[in-house]
Amino acid sequence: MSSHDTATRAAPRAKQIIAAVIGNALEWYDFIVFGFLAVVISRLFFPAESEYSSLLMTTATFGVGFFMRPVGGILLGIYADRKGRKAALQLIIAMMTVSIALIAFAPPYAAIGLAAPLLIVLARLLQGFATGGEFASATSFLIESAPPNKRGLYGSWQMFGQGLAVFCGAGVTALVTRNLSPEALDAWGWRIPFMIGLLIGPVGLWIRRHLEETEAFLEAHKAPAEKQSLVRMLRNHLREVFAVMGVTVCGTVGFYVILVYMPTFASKQLGIALSDAFTAQVIAVALMTILMPVFGALSDRVGRKILVIVAAAGLLVASYPLLSWVHAAPSFERLITMQIVLCVLLAVFFGPISAVMAEQFPAGVRSTGLALAYNVAVMVFGGFAQFIVTWLIQNTGIVIAPVFYVMFAAALGLVSALFLTDRTHIAHLASVDEDSPAPQAGQGGRDAAILPRTALNRA
């Protein structure tokens, strides 16, 4: 490759980061807003005899979309590995925009009866399909666009997009709930956050249309077609799939319990004003979002695996005493203190996690392998997280029961992290041999063996 070609590919890296971040933020923004407004949506679209039953049906609908995530993840992952990251990213953001529109303009149950909840369920299924492919496609795109010594930093921007979505979703929802009366909120105010998300879609689609395909994909695409196979990927990378699943469980449970469910929990179970709960959330999530690129960059220096282990261990040890402390004397001050501590630990975890998971798979099956492992874990343990913790509280009588779910996920993530292969210091990941078992961290000779031929020639 000529120096001119290299310069041409290096130039649009900032645009590539922005495209992945804005698209990923849009994908997750609607998921987050739906979770934050679960109490309102339950009254309007899922009326029931008791408030608990209504909320339970809404949280179940929140989880229904996750059934489609593995399907969308696998199909869109295969599409991204065959047609390109750019093509997949454009298709995904178009589908998500349609799903947001369905929710934003859906008439309530009082207006059209049973068709109202069916529209919400349809939108959630489409969201699940699209979002199932977003993480793997955007992560592969970012990691493959990164300089070899900055994959952790670049990968962290993927999670930065998710943090940005939580921050924006919490911020908009806090403004709406704080400044509108309950009557206005139910009548039309709840639609505002969804309509704001709807405005972002065309911008993200335009940006993604003007991207360049990654060099790693173009190199891998020259390989024989049979290498881009789900069956072949599972046969050669089953250990990596299970390791990525395990660490994903830790991240997704932390994400949906600590970040998404906590305002509802603080309001319903602790008696803290919903506006105060959202304010605490905005502050803590803003700090987490800022810190994720810092820890992503740090992982480029010290290694990614050690940071994931430290973060999972921290969540396992700190979650129970912190939530018990808040429950003993609920207040805004204690809630925000707990959220800041937990969000810092999540920043340590999320900073390197995208890169370390993407580095487990070769470029030819990277989107497929990552999508399968990530989305199955998210579907089982994350999609129904709110439903599970609501059920736990109701049936155990223990107000802080959600903490046990977080501790279980942290323990599983800690064990799974031990089985990750740390490829932090491997220069190029375009041509990892799919037929060879993954090298263990520290095996320099085998690490060198999996460098692509072009990299060896340059060396």
Side-chain angles (χ1 to χ4, degrees):
M1 181 177 293
S2 68
S3 59
H4 173 74
D5 291 338
T6 302
T8 300
R9 291 200 173 278
R13 278 175 175 158
K15 182 190 292 185
Q16 290 170 327
I17 293 175
I18 294 172
V21 170
I22 192 173
N24 195 45
L26 175 63
E27 304 291 346
W28 286 97
Y29 173 86
D30 195 41
F31 266 77
I32 300 308
V33 168
F34 190 96
F36 283 158
L37 292 173
V39 175
V40 177
I41 292 173
S42 67
R43 292 196 298 265
L44 297 176
F45 291 90
F46 300 90
E49 295 180 359
S50 69
E51 184 178 2
Y52 167 72
S53 298
S54 181
L55 182 60
L56 202 59
M57 284 190 292
T58 305
T59 54
T61 302
F62 182 85
V64 160
F66 285 79
F67 275 121
M68 292 299 294
R69 291 186 59 134
V71 178
I74 292 172
L75 293 179
L76 291 170
I78 292 173
Y79 182 77
D81 284 333
R82 292 181 178 177
K83 301 297 183 181
R85 319 304 188 204
K86 175 182 175 179
L89 290 173
Q90 291 182 76
L91 177 61
I92 289 165
I93 200 168
M95 288 190 294
M96 183 56 74
T97 302
V98 172
S99 69
I100 294 176
L102 285 175
I103 296 179
F105 297 108
Y109 186 91
I112 60 173
L114 187 60
L118 290 179
L119 274 176
I120 299 299
V121 171
L122 176 63
R124 294 292 300 155
L125 290 173
L126 183 58
Q127 285 174 344
F129 187 92
T131 306
E134 172 64 22
F135 180 85
S137 298
T139 298
S140 297
F141 187 81
L142 280 170
I143 298 302
E144 293 169 3
S145 299
N149 63 338
K150 293 184 178 180
R151 288 195 301 264
L153 175 61
Y154 273 56
S156 69
W157 291 114
Q158 205 279 349
M159 302 308 297
F160 178 89
Q162 294 190 18
L164 185 64
V166 179
F167 175 76
C168 293
V172 171
T173 308
L175 289 173
V176 170
T177 55
R178 187 181 290 271
N179 293 285
L180 294 178
S181 66
E183 295 76 18
L185 185 65
D186 284 3
W188 53 270
W190 68 272
R191 298 182 188 272
I192 293 176
F194 293 102
M195 290 183 175
I196 291 175
L198 187 60
L199 295 174
I200 303 172
V203 177
L205 182 61
W206 182 85
I207 293 176
R208 287 185 170 186
R209 286 186 62 186
H210 292 82
L211 294 175
E212 290 190 32
E213 192 54 78
T214 67
E215 181 179 350
F217 168 78
L218 295 176
E219 290 185 13
H221 197 55
K222 298 174 183 177
E226 61 268 22
K227 284 198 172 184
Q228 300 177 26
S229 162
L230 177 63
V231 174
R232 190 182 185 92
M233 184 277 297
L234 286 173
R235 184 172 69 243
N236 295 330
H237 302 285
L238 190 60
R239 193 193 88 164
E240 288 83 351
V241 167
F242 281 113
V244 171
M245 280 185 181
V247 294
T248 300
V249 170
C250 179
T252 196
V253 171
F255 188 91
Y256 286 103
V257 175
I258 297 172
L259 302 184
V260 179
Y261 181 72
M262 193 54 65
T264 300
F265 175 83
S267 174
K268 291 291 184 181
Q269 304 299 330
L270 302 181
I272 297 174
L274 188 60
S275 59
D276 286 341
F278 279 129
T279 300
Q281 195 76 334
V282 168
I283 295 171
V285 170
L287 178 62
M288 181 193 74
T289 304
I290 292 170
L291 289 178
M292 283 192 291
V294 175
F295 287 109
L298 180 62
S299 76
D300 287 321
R301 299 177 62 88
V302 304
R304 319 200 203 290
K305 184 173 179 177
I306 184 62
L307 292 183
V308 174
I309 290 173
V310 168
L315 288 170
L316 177 61
V317 172
S319 298
Y320 181 81
L322 281 172
L323 195 55
S324 298
W325 177 63
V326 176
H327 176 244
S331 68
F332 172 78
E333 291 75 14
R334 290 196 175 198
L335 177 63
I336 194 173
T337 300
M338 178 188 73
Q339 287 298 86
I340 286 175
V341 173
L342 293 179
C343 283
V344 168
L345 288 171
L346 288 177
V348 178
F349 183 90
F350 287 137
I353 199 64
S354 296
V356 76
M357 291 196 299
E359 288 169 346
Q360 303 306 300
F361 303 99
V365 295
R366 182 165 294 136
S367 287
T368 306
L370 188 54
L372 174 65
Y374 178 81
N375 286 296
V376 169
V378 170
M379 178 191 72
V380 176
F381 296 95
F384 288 93
Q386 294 193 62
F387 181 87
I388 291 170
V389 296
T390 302
W391 181 88
L392 282 172
I393 294 170
Q394 183 73 14
N395 287 274
T396 64
I398 302 174
V399 173
I400 63 170
V403 76
F404 301 122
Y405 193 43
V406 174
M407 292 173 67
F408 156 76
L412 181 59
L414 179 60
V415 173
S416 300
L418 300 176
F419 291 91
L420 293 173
T421 300
D422 197 335
R423 291 190 171 104
T424 300
H425 302 297
I426 293 180
H428 296 273
L429 297 174
S431 304
V432 175
D433 185 359
E434 296 182 40
D435 295 315
S436 301
Q440 301 300 315
Q443 292 180 315
R446 293 183 61 194
D447 287 354
I450 68 173
L451 288 172
R453 184 168 308 187
T454 54
L456 291 176
N457 291 340
R458 284 195 297 267

